[in-house]
């Protein structure tokens, strides 16, 4: 793959590295690109000689979520959203939940919407600068319900009160709150000049941390960690996707996305 691809994939030693590479659009993703992301995560799961899968990005944001211009151009036909929303979300979320490798995310900035949801499903979370990092679930802002199992993962990882603020009021989850609740494993305190330098540091730290560990033991331990967690998130994901289908086919989200793009509607970001 070339550096101009919006999502890239490479294997570096014992790690599969997936990079969101569209910094001009704040690494926002079209719905087909979320499918592509799922394909890369699945590919990383099948690598024979890796232990780690890292999700990272370029520029100043991890991901601004769904591409507003792309979504705003979609129709509200049931057939469109059975594929674009229900099937895509169920497939992406289950692909992440079924991932057997250590799934780490290098947050060089904020993450929004479905992108924030899958951050909360990662095993390890590293941030470049917690003071400039936040997650945002703007689902009420665009007229839909929670996505990517976030109605389960947010309460699990943040506690009920913070999750309720984040999901019901579309309130930012600050890096400080993420640190307090234990979501963040390490804050690099903004000491790197670029996302690329930060990404390399995370990769180096993870390679060192997994050196001399037994891969099979890691995979078995991860499966045990997910024993109680996975069914709850999977059920939440199926219900979110089913309810969300009604939202998308109403046409309201597309209209609100168009208003966000034009500036008629204020974005919670």
């Amino acid at each position: 793959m070339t550096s101009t691809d919006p999502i890239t994939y490479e294997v570096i030693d014992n790690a599969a590295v997936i990079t969101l590479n569209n910094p001009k659009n704040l690494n926002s993703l079209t719905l087909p690109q979320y499918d592509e992301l799922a394909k890369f995560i699945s590919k990383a799961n099948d690598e024979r000689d890796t232990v780690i899968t890292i999700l990272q990005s370029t520029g100043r944001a991890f991901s601004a979520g769904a591409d507003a211009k792309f979504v705003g151009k979609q129709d509200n036909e049931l057939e469109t959203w059975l594929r674009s929303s229900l099937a895509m979300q169920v497939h992406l979320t289950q692909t992440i939940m079924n991932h057997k490798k250590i799934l780490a995310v290098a947050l060089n900035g904020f993450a929004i919407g479905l992108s924030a949801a899958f951050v909360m499903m990662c095993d390890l979370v590293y941030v470049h600068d917690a003071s400039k990092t936040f997650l945002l679930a703007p689902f009420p802002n665009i007229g839909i319900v929670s996505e990517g199992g976030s109605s389960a993962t947010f309460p699990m990882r943040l506690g009920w009160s913070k999750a309720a603020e984040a999901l019901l009021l579309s309130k930012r989850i600050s890096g400080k709150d993420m640190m307090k609740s234990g979501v963040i494993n390490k804050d690099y305190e903004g000491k790197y000049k670029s996302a690329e330098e930060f990404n390399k540091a995370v990769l180096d730290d993870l390679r060192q941390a997994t050196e001399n560990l037994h891969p099979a033991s890691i995979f078995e331990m991860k499966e045990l960690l997910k024993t109680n967690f996975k069914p709850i998130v999977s059920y939440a994901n199926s219900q979110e996707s089913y309810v969300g289908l009604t939202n998308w086919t109403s046409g309201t989200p597309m209209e609100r996305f168009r208003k966000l793009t034009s500036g008629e509607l204020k974005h919670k970001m």
Side-chain angles (χ1 to χ4, degrees):
M1 290 190 177
T2 68
S3 60
T4 59
D5 291 321
I7 308 176
T8 65
Y9 180 95
E10 62 181 325
V11 174
I12 302 174
D13 293 333
N14 69 339
V17 180
I18 302 168
T19 306
L20 305 183
N21 187 39
N22 191 7
K24 290 184 178 179
N25 286 340
L26 300 177
N27 297 307
S28 61
L29 298 166
T30 65
L31 302 183
Q33 285 169 348
Y34 277 114
D35 284 333
E36 186 178 9
L37 178 63
K39 289 178 183 177
F40 282 141
I41 294 172
S42 181
K43 181 178 180 180
N45 197 57
D46 294 335
E47 292 287 354
R48 293 186 59 183
D49 300 318
T50 66
V51 176
I52 309 157
T53 300
I54 302 177
L55 303 177
Q56 61 183 36
S57 64
T58 54
R60 68 183 183 88
F62 178 74
S63 174
D67 186 308
K69 290 183 179 179
F70 177 89
V71 176
K73 293 177 181 178
Q74 305 308 301
D75 59 44
N76 63 343
E77 296 298 319
L78 177 63
E79 291 75 13
T80 299
W81 293 101
L82 278 172
R83 177 68 197 91
S84 299
S85 178
L86 192 148
M88 179 273 287
Q89 287 187 49
V90 170
H91 178 60
L92 174 61
T93 304
Q94 289 306 124
T95 297
I96 294 173
M97 286 305 305
N98 291 334
H99 198 71
K100 68 181 181 181
K101 310 292 178 73
I102 295 172
L103 185 59
V105 61
L107 282 179
N108 59 306
F110 58 82
I112 295 176
L114 184 55
S115 297
F118 70 66
V119 164
M120 293 295 266
M121 286 191 288
C122 291
D123 304 311
L124 303 172
V125 179
Y126 300 95
V127 300
H128 184 212
D129 187 343
S131 69
K132 296 179 180 178
T133 299
F134 66 86
L135 303 182
L136 179 65
F139 306 124
N141 198 211
I142 54 178
I144 60 173
V145 296
S146 51
E147 296 179 336
S150 56
S151 58
T153 57
F154 279 41
M156 287 176 177
R157 302 197 72 169
L158 296 167
W160 184 271
S161 296
K162 283 296 179 183
E165 279 188 337
L167 294 173
L168 303 180
L169 305 180
S170 193
K171 184 175 179 180
R172 287 185 181 186
I173 306 164
S174 68
K176 182 179 179 181
D177 286 336
M178 292 168 69
M179 289 290 290
K180 283 183 177 179
S181 61
V183 173
I184 293 174
N185 293 90
K186 183 175 181 179
D187 174 16
Y188 287 77
E189 300 179 338
K191 65 181 180 180
Y192 297 104
K193 295 180 180 179
S194 67
E196 289 74 18
E197 289 182 11
F198 163 63
N199 291 338
K200 184 180 182 303
V202 171
L203 174 61
D204 289 345
D205 284 352
L206 280 168
R207 287 167 58 197
Q208 182 176 359
T210 55
E211 188 177 9
N212 298 321
L213 298 183
H214 187 53
S217 179
I218 291 173
F219 303 152
E220 290 166 357
M221 184 66 69
K222 175 160 179 181
E223 195 60 35
L224 289 169
L225 280 169
K226 293 190 298 182
T227 299
N228 295 317
F229 182 67
K230 184 177 176 180
I232 296 170
V233 177
S234 297
Y235 178 74
N237 177 38
S238 67
Q239 293 303 300
E240 290 168 348
S241 301
Y242 179 72
V243 175
L245 184 62
T246 303
N247 300 145
W248 288 110
T249 54
S250 72
T252 298
M254 287 75 83
E255 180 61 26
R256 292 181 73 85
F257 264 114
R258 284 192 286 268
K259 288 183 177 180
L260 285 167
T261 302
S262 68
E264 294 178 65
L265 183 64
K266 185 178 179 181
H267 201 300
K268 281 283 188 174
M269 180 176 154

